[in-house]
Amino acid sequence: MQNKQSRGYVWLVGAGPGDFGLITLKGLEAIAQAEVLVYDRLINSNLIDRAPADCEKIYVGKQAANHALPQPQINELLYQKAAAGKRVVRLKGGDPYVFGRGGEEGLYLAERGIPFEEVPGITSSIAGPAYAGIPVTHRECASSFHVFTGNFKDEERGLDFANLARLEGTLIFLMGFANLNYITQGLLAAGKPADTPAAVISQATTPRQRTAVGTLADIEERCAAAKLSSPAITVIGEVVNCRPQLNFFERQQGRGVLVLRDARQSEIFIRKLQARGLTPYCCPVIEIVDRWLTPEIWAAIEGLPKYSWLVFTSPNGVRCFMDNFYSGGGDWRAFGHLKFAVIGRATAQALRERAGFDADFVPQKQVSDALGQGLAERLTPADNVLLPRSAIADNRLLEILSAKCPVTDLKIYDTRFCTDKEEQLREQLAKANIRYVPFTSASTVDGFVQACGGPEAAASLLTENACQTVAIGPVTAGRMRQLGLEPDLQAAEHSLDGVIEVILQDLEGEKND
Ligand code: SAH
């Protein structure tokens, strides 16, 4: 570029769609030697920082209705600076000649004899979809792509929808976010099928990228639910279906984990996730409601002397039983003769912290069958087991233990499903940086499915948002399968730590692919 430095010269440089790395080498070189940098909005600020310290930086960015500097004045500014002998870089988002008015600027300079060149950029119309996992062409479904502006100052000069609807290729709209309704309605009215896949990608290629996916019929609604805003790119066509497999970018940055458990119980999980660099998003779909000193609970507390084993299948059971015992005026010495069995480490820890007792039996595998079988080996017909647990627990453990000795199944807490969460779930998942949806109990599976409005809706919500499901263990995985949700991952250790471990392994594996 040496020879161009002695006199005024203009580079019309495409900055790419947003990601700093998506500028060309030639564009970056031009910026590095600029004396004047004239730039728009939506330009990655790191690029502006690449200009020399003494470079004059002029912002001329436009907002839809609010032109910071009208185009004729931008043209004149470029001309004046170059005519004064400056090396001028005109930095524009995406590619300067794709709806960028770069052509007008070039013509204005050419007419006035100012030497210039255009440095093409990566246009958001291709890179935005790509970063959302959508190839603009695909041998099987789109042999062309068509890029339109969706910004019409004069509706009469709007789009020729009859023509558009006949195209088999992918339809891409820039600047169309405010006119999404006009575009979708126009295409539908012209006979484009309502179930044609559609996606809107907002703030593409930036860390704030978010994508809504749907069909021509519902994409507008999906965008509203996800609260997407401009700048955004609309893509219409079968290629949108590639997204679940190709969505590399949001997936990479997606260290988001949806926490579905009871709000009061989520705290430990949240802290554990954060400690490992994952981002928790909370949407409780179940609520744990303690039972308080019911006649059965009273009877169990008063009858403690007759039991020989106290068995807990969750930290919740420990907490709720001990709270009842304490509030009911219980005396800790009543536990002196008892042995404790717990399902796993977290429950053992809760027993230690809440009551100061060490568990006498913890199965190696943290599942209720292992607890049942391991404990059954230790029981004699003379034993008597008290089993305080959820009112919705299944009967398997009870059956295994009852085969050996008397067992009291004490319903100590209820699990309620939060049915008013659909909107919140949709909104959070549409943020797209939620990558993992762990189910930490069979009841969170039920809660999630109910919140979504049924198994099919739950499954499609997860697929649409390219979420990976994680089962804490085989019982939870079994419940998921019953409801048509195939677990993508399953924890080796059936605990919250195990869930986090398998997520991290998954992220790690992807990096190495
Ligand atoms: N020359 C640019 C387009 C300029 S028109 C290019 O080639 O990309 C401005 C429109 O581009 C916006 O309204 C929006 O539709 C789209 N756009 C540009 N950058 C975008 C981004 N990072 N995310 C989403 N849309 C973007």
Side-chain angles (χ1 to χ4, degrees), residues 14-19 40-42 64 92-102 121-129 147-151 173-177 200-206 208-210 229-234:
D19 180 342
D40 283 343
R41 78 192 252 272
L42 303 181
K92 300 168 89 65
D95 181 274
Y97 286 174
V98 177
F99 298 126
R101 305 190 77 165
I122 297 181
T123 174
S124 65
S125 56
I126 298 174
V147 183
F148 303 93
T149 170
N151 183 18
F173 297 86
L174 300 187
M175 297 179 282
F177 193 67
V200 171
I201 309 128
S202 140
Q203 310 211 57
T205 81
T206 76
R208 296 167 305 285
Q209 173 173 320
R210 287 165 58 197
S229 56
S230 75
I233 301 150
T234 303

Side-chain angles (χ1 to χ4, degrees), residues 298-344:
W298 267 121
I301 290 172
E302 284 178 348
L304 277 180
K306 76 170 192 225
Y307 294 105
S308 54
W309 281 88
L310 195 43
V311 180
F312 290 109
T313 58
S314 69
N316 236 348
V318 172
R319 182 191 51 72
C320 191
F321 183 77
M322 294 304 171
D323 285 357
N324 266 287
F325 174 80
Y326 191 68
S327 321
D331 183 307
W332 293 111
R333 281 170 291 188
F335 290 99
H337 68 292
L338 280 163
K339 286 197 163 142
F340 294 93
V342 297
I343 197 164

